[in-house]
Amino acid sequence: MIKANYMKRALVFLAAVACMVSMPIHSEANPPQNRKQLVSALTTLDSNIVGYFPRWSLCEYDLQIQIEQVFILHGFPADSLDVNDIVVTAAPKSIDDPYEPYQLLLVECGKCHMTASEIDSYMESLAGIVSGEIIFSGPYKGFINDYGERTYCFNEIPKDAPLTQYQHEVITDFLEPTNVNHAFTLSAFDQAVKVGESGFWLRSHIGNDAVGYHFWSAGEAMASLRRPLYENTDTRTRKAIPHLIDVWIGGSYRLSTGLEDGTSGVFDWVKERRLNAGPGGKFFAGLDFHVPVHPEAGLHVELNLPFAGLGTEGIDPGTYALFPVNTGRGRTVEFLDPKFDVLSVAPILRGTGQITGFYHLWLDPAVPENYFRFDLGISYAEVREAAFFIDNERISKISTEGVLGLRTYKNSELGDWIYAKVEYRSQAAFPFGISAQYSNQILLGRVYIPLFGRFFYLEGKYAQPLRSTRYYESDHFFMISPVLRLTI
């Protein structure tokens, strides 16, 4: 341990000597040239030595803005600065005192940079935050940080990465990022928690977006555990796609609370729910398989299948969307045995699924702030009608047994089978995303935008059938929700 400590200090000393030997004595008449030579010395060190120098890019927007302003106030050209490209290089911490703050050697902003002496002169207060000496946020904001930890958003730069590489969050889903140890997302649509470095995700999702029925328009919600099975060893794509195979398994359950009056409780401004999930629950599972030789491409499979068939079930009618028996151009629905009368019809969403090929695309891998995902394949959705009646014991029930006139809506045209989706995400200082999906002949659009920092967003979804609207579908369905996103 002592030998390693001396080795590290020796490397830092050699690096400093290399810097001094490679540049003339500082002169006030020529500071730009000296800065350039110092940076050149720092960025042309042997790769084995560079690995000992901690480097990270900033993703804390407030801190990015403040540092950019310091550069502008001290005469650096604004057109050469980039708030999204702020990289810090520091000296290694001492093994004897791992809780000391970092010693900053270089701060780069776009094409401009400040060396250690300029950092001390021009951004002393900010340097305390960047180095980990001062706590940046939380109840102890502004206090001395006894642990020397960086209390802001940052991304470590791998030791084998070029020193001048533009750094961004190279991820495939900003709201459920893979490049952090712990993550938490909460909205009216999704609730997700990432559990440590294991890559496990616990997720609850309201609605069945895959077939165009988002939020509670589907009458169901899903809970699942996502587990990685096979790691991606490709260094080119590993940061964005850490696993080649991910599987998830869980179940779907029907939404019933707050729907007794046919509206949506606290969300009564949202259109009423017209579709139901049946009793008994469903099996929910899926798989993402990335091609090992080209991880950007892969296959997505997802199934949502009922545990049991529809028969005769007792229900609480206040939690079901029910429609007149003549729904659909005056048809009749009746029991073979006239002992009971069919009072209403309940449309029930049964099995759904999809099989698609996907492709991840970053327009510029060296500057991966513009991300696209493309999906193309097939989807399936089935809605069955059940007859609602009251038996001799005054128990409310639904039944598909011995009933004439009930219908089943499932894929029957080419357009019913086609699944296509395109997503765009900007992963720069203002991360936002937008997507458009065609499935079950329904167009589903989604957008999210930041409201405050990188932790509070606004998400909206809009669904519009592109065929004749069925009686259990709204002519359009819109929902908006705040999103809380926390990462560690």
Side-chain angles (χ1 to χ4, degrees):
M1 181 69 74
I2 295 176
K3 184 179 292 185
N5 191 25
Y6 279 115
M7 176 66 71
K8 180 182 289 188
R9 292 183 178 181
L11 288 171
V12 177
F13 175 76
L14 289 174
V17 170
C19 293
M20 290 187 290
V21 169
S22 64
M23 60 181 287
I25 298 175
H26 176 74
S27 168
E28 289 297 334
N30 192 23
Q33 182 67 20
N34 289 345
R35 287 202 302 267
K36 182 176 180 180
Q37 290 172 335
L38 177 57
V39 172
S40 176
L42 283 173
T43 57
T44 56
L45 295 174
D46 180 84
S47 59
N48 292 324
I49 297 178
V50 167
Y52 283 96
F53 286 78
R55 290 175 294 150
W56 61 92
S57 62
L58 299 186
C59 51
E60 187 75 45
Y61 182 66
D62 291 345
L63 200 53
Q64 288 174 316
I65 291 294
Q66 293 181 57
I67 290 177
E68 182 191 45
Q69 288 302 310
V70 170
F71 275 85
I72 292 174
L73 289 173
H74 288 88
F76 291 85
D79 57 358
S80 296
L81 302 175
D82 191 335
V83 72
N84 298 319
D85 182 22
I86 298 179
V87 177
V88 179
T89 302
K93 286 190 176 185
S94 168
I95 295 179
D96 295 333
D97 186 10
Y99 298 111
E100 67 180 356
Y102 285 98
Q103 181 181 354
L104 305 184
L105 301 178
L106 190 70
V107 174
E108 300 169 84
C109 180
K111 298 178 182 179
C112 302
H113 51 265
M114 288 189 184
T115 59
S117 59
E118 293 169 312
I119 294 169
D120 291 339
S121 300
Y122 301 154
M123 59 171 70
E124 182 178 0
S125 59
L126 288 176
I129 294 172
V130 175
S131 66
E133 181 181 4
I134 305 297
I135 296 174
F136 176 69
S137 60
Y140 300 103
K141 180 177 180 179
F143 283 68
I144 296 295
N145 185 3
D146 295 331
Y147 296 97
E149 297 176 343
R150 291 160 288 182
T151 55
Y152 51 85
C153 179
F154 67 92
N155 294 312
E156 295 284 4
I157 299 178
K159 72 174 186 177
D160 57 349
L163 278 166
T164 56
Q165 182 179 357
Y166 198 109
Q167 295 294 312
H168 278 290
E169 289 184 294
V170 189
I171 52 181
T172 59
D173 191 336
F174 189 80
L175 295 184
E176 295 183 13
T178 55
N179 63 338
V180 296
N181 289 338
H182 309 282
F184 173 78
T185 302
L186 175 65
S187 76
F189 300 108
D190 290 273
Q191 304 82 45
V193 178
K194 183 176 186 290
V195 186
E197 298 181 3
S198 62
F200 281 74
W201 279 91
L202 292 170
R203 185 171 182 247
S204 175
H205 178 78
I206 298 178
N208 195 322
D209 289 22
V211 293
Y213 301 129
H214 72 83
F215 200 43
W216 56 52
S217 62
E220 69 179 5
M222 307 171 188
S224 62
L225 171 66
R226 186 183 184 104
R227 186 191 193 285
L229 287 186
Y230 193 81
E231 289 191 3
N232 181 10
T233 58
D234 178 24
T235 56
R236 180 180 59 86
T237 59
R238 178 180 174 84
K239 185 176 181 181
I241 306 170
H243 309 106
L244 293 179
I245 300 178
D246 283 287
V247 297
W248 54 96
I249 188 171
S252 298
Y253 55 94
R254 66 182 312 272
L255 296 174
S256 59
T257 304
L259 301 173
E260 289 77 8
D261 58 355
T263 60
S264 41
V266 295
F267 294 103
D268 55 7
W269 55 274
V270 182
K271 285 202 171 185
E272 66 180 359
R273 195 200 72 192
R274 304 176 65 86
L275 189 57
N276 305 288
K282 298 180 182 178
F283 172 72
F284 176 59
L287 165 75
D288 272 347
F289 171 77
H290 297 260
V291 179
V293 295
H294 194 70
E296 292 95 333
L299 182 71
H300 172 83
V301 180
E302 190 168 286
L303 298 172
N304 194 26
L305 303 175
F307 284 119
L310 276 178
T312 300
E313 304 279 351
I315 67 164
D316 176 359
T319 65
Y320 274 73
L322 302 172
F323 295 86
V325 294
N326 64 351
T327 296
R329 297 186 178 180
R331 66 189 171 111
T332 60
V333 180
E334 59 186 5
F335 282 96
L336 287 173
D337 182 351
K339 181 169 54 175
F340 301 116
D341 291 327
V342 176
L343 303 178
S344 302
V345 173
I348 297 177
L349 181 63
R350 301 300 285 163
T352 64
Q354 60 181 139
I355 301 177
T356 66
F358 62 79
Y359 192 84
H360 300 286
L361 174 66
W362 289 267
L363 294 185
D364 184 353
V367 187
E369 65 176 26
N370 297 300
Y371 164 79
F372 287 87
R373 171 170 170 149
F374 304 92
D375 289 78
L376 182 63
I378 62 174
S379 67
Y380 178 82
E382 179 181 316
V383 175
R384 293 192 63 188
E385 292 179 335
F388 169 67
F389 69 102
I390 298 176
D391 68 9
N392 292 331
E393 298 178 356
R394 309 303 298 170
I395 297 176
S396 298
K397 292 183 177 181
I398 55 172
S399 179
T400 59
E401 300 170 334
V403 185
L404 296 175
L406 295 178
R407 292 179 177 176
T408 297
Y409 299 84
K410 58 184 179 181
N411 294 34
S412 59
E413 303 175 3
L414 177 61
D416 296 332
W417 290 99
I418 296 175
Y419 179 94
K421 185 176 182 179
V422 59
E423 299 177 69
Y424 168 74
R425 299 189 186 108
S426 172
Q427 299 177 159
F430 290 93
F432 70 90
I434 186 170
S435 69
Q437 171 192 291
Y438 176 90
S439 177
N440 191 28
Q441 294 201 53
I442 297 175
L443 178 66
L444 174 62
R446 174 184 180 236
V447 63
Y448 68 82
I449 57 174
L451 292 182
F452 305 106
R454 300 168 72 88
F455 66 92
F456 196 74
Y457 292 76
L458 190 66
E459 181 178 10
K461 294 183 182 181
Y462 178 86
Q464 174 69 59
L466 300 180
R467 47 166 163 71
S468 297
T469 303
R470 295 164 182 165
Y471 74 90
Y472 55 80
E473 297 172 338
S474 300
D475 54 357
H476 65 273
F477 192 91
F478 174 70
M479 176 63 186
I480 194 168
S481 171
V483 182
L484 177 64
R485 173 190 181 269
L486 303 174
T487 62
I488 301 177

